[in-house]
Amino acid sequence: SAIYCYADDKITVIDPPFVVSDLIEFNGKLIVAGGFVGLFEIQGDTYLPLPGHDILTGKTINDIAIFGGNLLIGTKLSGCFLYDGKQLTPWQASINDDLKEHQLNKITLLGENLLGFGTIKNGMYLYNSESGKYNVFNRESGLQNNTVLSSLLYKDLLWLGLDNGMARAKLNNP
């Protein structure tokens, strides 16, 4: 688990003291998720903990996305958290309890107010942040199984990588 930086035709290896589960550029800073030890900003070869990152200690960070000007941090069994550039807080959305129960795995931005949450136990949740309502694509509604390992939006098609192959869903289809 290392980070490779390419600049000026040279590759530099940054070897963090933790397992890297994700990294993202946010507000001009490179933020790295340290598995179950928290969130850090990379400055050169130094890892600075984000303010309040101790709220994530012991929680496995699975995915990070930029949503509504904040970082949305998804954890395996503890739901999502928001980081606004200064403070890290639990996400106060109604869907968060379901994400905790069904083991969040992936976050996909599907539109300005639409998020996709792939889970291990109950398929893909499509969440509208304006209304607070969501739909679920799972085995019951036609998926081969409920384990979403990856997701990608291409035009109006949502592609899902599952345990048993791939699935696609048209988002603008009733």
Side-chain angles (χ1 to χ4, degrees), residues 8-151:
D8 303 320
D9 291 329
K10 189 171 112 182
I11 296 175
T12 307
V13 179
I14 300 173
D15 201 9
F18 46 77
V19 173
V20 174
S21 58
D22 206 351
L23 69 106
I24 194 167
E25 188 273 328
F26 178 67
N27 292 343
K29 300 174 182 178
L30 189 58
I31 307 295
V32 62
F36 56 88
V37 295
L39 286 174
F40 302 85
E41 177 188 343
I42 297 177
Q43 287 186 357
D45 56 358
T46 305
Y47 303 91
L48 302 174
L50 295 184
H53 91 115
D54 54 331
I55 195 172
L56 296 171
T57 302
K59 297 168 178 63
T60 303
I61 300 170
N62 286 350
D63 210 356
I64 304 173
I66 296 173
F67 183 69
N70 297 307
L71 278 185
L72 183 62
I73 299 107
T75 66
K76 185 176 180 178
L77 294 169
S78 301
C80 292
F81 296 80
L82 284 177
Y83 178 67
D84 63 5
K86 296 176 184 165
Q87 184 173 313
L88 190 62
T89 56
W91 190 36
Q92 300 300 317
S94 59
I95 194 172
N96 217 15
D97 287 336
D98 279 4
L99 299 177
K100 292 174 189 177
E101 180 182 343
H102 296 293
Q103 196 170 333
L104 176 63
N105 193 42
K106 286 288 168 205
I107 301 171
T108 306
L109 300 176
L110 302 173
E112 188 175 322
N113 298 310
L114 190 62
L115 288 164
F117 295 101
T119 68
I120 297 297
K121 298 178 181 178
N122 198 33
M124 186 74 166
Y125 286 74
L126 303 180
Y127 174 73
N128 184 312
S129 64
E130 277 189 332
S131 68
K133 295 181 181 179
Y134 56 90
N135 296 319
V136 182
F137 293 153
N138 57 19
R139 188 174 184 112
E140 203 173 281
S141 62
L143 290 182
Q144 295 100 324
N145 71 350
N146 284 332
T147 302
V148 176
L149 301 173
S150 60
S151 55

